[in-house]
Each structure stands twice: as structure tokens, then as C-alpha cells.
Amino acid sequence: QVQLVESGGGLVQTGGSLRLSCAASGRTVNMNAMGWFRQAPGKEREFVAAIPWSGSSTYYADSVKGRFTISKDNAQNTVYLQMNNLKPEDTALYYCAVQPDGTGRFDYWGQGTRVTVSS
């Protein structure tokens, strides 16, 4: 099992920035990748960004490319999401997730941190 705790959400004006953090604990040795997802009110959860636990490749949804940056600190078992130039459509509950080795899916999820962007 892997436990995830997100932090860093809040209220920000359009054009502002926030940095989300996600700390992992438990069976972190078997993590293949970590990712961020979000769910806006009345919408389905969607992929935002992901990063492999080994290596430096990063992956982004088209809607956030050029504005969001995912990064990690392996020593601290923490992944970050730097969000710049925020827009009202970025308003959502942001979840951190872990993809364990060999599953090809994100099996472990945090409770989420809320981001609200005012216009």
C-alpha cells in the first residue's frame, strides 16, 4: 500500500500561480510513476501530468502544456505540480496518484487538494 497526502491548493486569481505537493509513504519502493489528475465540478476526472519515478520524462495534458510543470524529489518521495498562468477552467479538485510497477494503471490515490481560480 502507498499513502498519498496532497497540499498546496487554494484560491488564486486568474494569471496567478500555485504549487501543489504530494508526499508518498508506505511501499514506495514499487512506484513506477506518479501523476496528477483533476476533477472539476460536474465533470469527469482527467489526466493532468505524470512523471516516471526513474528517469526525467514528463507528460502533460494539452490543456496545461506550457503552464504546468511536474517534478519530483525521489529522496523525499514527493512529487510537485507548479501551476502558472492559472485560468478559471483550472478550477478543480486535484489528486495525486501512484502507478505501481507492473500494473499500467494508477492504483493509489490521495484525498485531493482544491484549487479555485477566480476571474
Side-chain angles (χ1 to χ4, degrees), residues 77-100:
N77 290 327
T78 300
V79 66
Y80 305 96
L81 186 68
Q82 177 67 44
M83 305 186 296
N84 297 328
N85 191 21
L86 283 160
K87 305 175 181 180
E89 51 264 42
D90 295 318
T91 294
L93 191 59
Y94 282 71
Y95 296 93
C96 172
V98 163
Q99 182 188 93

Side-chain angles (χ1 to χ4, degrees), residues 6-9 17-22 34-38 46-51 58-61 64-65 67-73 78-84 86 90 93-96 113 115:
E6 303 101 332
S7 61
S17 298
L18 284 173
R19 189 192 194 206
L20 305 184
S21 299
C22 174
M34 292 187 74
W36 288 97
F37 294 75
R38 67 187 182 185
E46 64 176 2
F47 169 78
V48 175
I51 188 166
T58 54
Y59 307 89
Y60 298 95
V64 306
K65 279 181 182 176
R67 301 188 298 122
F68 290 11
T69 302
I70 188 170
S71 61
K72 60 181 178 174
D73 182 335
T78 300
V79 66
Y80 305 96
L81 186 68
Q82 177 67 44
M83 305 186 296
N84 297 328
L86 283 160
D90 295 318
L93 191 59
Y94 282 71
Y95 296 93
C96 172
T113 185
V115 172

